[in-house]
Amino acid sequence: MKNLNDFVFCVLLLNGEVSVLFTVTDMEDVELPEGFSQYLMLYDGKESVVASYKMIDGYEVMGWMVTKGTLPCSDGCYRIERYDSLHTVSFNEWAYGKLAVFDYNTEVISISLDVLLEDSEEIEDFLQDVCHFHLGSIIWMQFSGEVVFMGPGDYR
């Protein structure tokens, strides 16, 4: 099995509403975590672009897509009228996000997660059990403003 974080993914916005990951690298032997789906992005050589679980006669493969959940398919296909490329991202960043921790010296520690943390208790457990932070020394701040996304080279 290939590691999903070894792929170069681009975030695509399909039909102005659905955010997916796209890669030109063959994902045929990749097993996705629960809750994610894989599609082929297919082109008929003229004007029709579709997402499908399987190959369709008369279409060629443009690449592979990963979605959160499933696409609303009709006859096994999701018609793609328009797709916009937004930015490149790793699988874990797109799927689970990042957790940024600031220390008192204003140094930023950014942790790329491999699981989705849904509430404060899960975040605290992660920081304490996995990262070995002392929760008593953490001062929580209310968030306001814009989220700033960093690339892989920004937080090594």
Side-chain angles (χ1 to χ4, degrees):
M1 181 174 89
K2 298 177 184 174
N3 184 333
L4 284 167
N5 286 306
D6 291 338
F7 285 86
V8 175
F9 285 111
C10 182
V11 177
L12 293 185
L13 187 62
L14 304 181
N15 300 332
E17 60 186 19
V18 180
S19 176
V20 303
L21 290 184
F22 173 81
T23 185
V24 294
T25 306
D26 186 340
M27 291 187 64
E28 195 170 321
D29 298 326
V30 174
E31 186 176 324
L32 296 175
E34 186 176 328
F36 297 91
S37 301
Q38 179 180 315
Y39 295 88
L40 291 167
M41 187 171 186
L42 304 171
Y43 175 60
D44 71 355
K46 299 172 190 151
E47 61 184 51
S48 182
V49 178
V50 298
S52 175
Y53 282 117
K54 59 184 182 189
M55 192 64 195
I56 300 173
D57 287 337
Y59 282 76
E60 61 185 59
V61 176
M62 293 176 65
W64 285 258
M65 294 187 307
V66 176
T67 64
K68 294 177 182 176
T70 59
L71 293 174
C73 293
S74 173
D75 297 327
C77 292
Y78 175 80
R79 300 251 173 247
I80 301 171
E81 304 295 330
R82 184 177 96 240
Y83 56 93
D84 301 303
S85 176
L86 302 179
H87 58 278
T88 58
V89 69
S90 74
F91 177 80
N92 280 359
E93 286 177 67
W94 177 80
Y96 308 114
K98 285 187 183 175
L99 181 63
V101 179
F102 299 86
D103 76 1
Y104 64 91
N105 293 321
T106 67
E107 178 182 346
V108 178
I109 301 167
S110 179
I111 303 163
S112 185
L113 305 174
D114 60 0
V115 293
L116 181 62
L117 301 177
E118 296 183 354
D119 59 35
S120 296
E121 185 176 328
E122 287 183 0
I123 292 170
E124 288 178 356
D125 289 346
F126 176 81
L127 289 173
Q128 182 173 306
D129 300 339
V130 177
C131 301
H132 306 290
F133 284 107
H134 299 285
L135 293 182
S137 63
I138 294 176
I139 300 170
W140 296 98
M141 299 179 294
Q142 291 287 6
F143 175 78
S144 63
E146 288 187 32
V147 175
V148 176
F149 292 101
M150 299 183 296
D154 296 331
Y155 59 89
R156 289 195 196 276

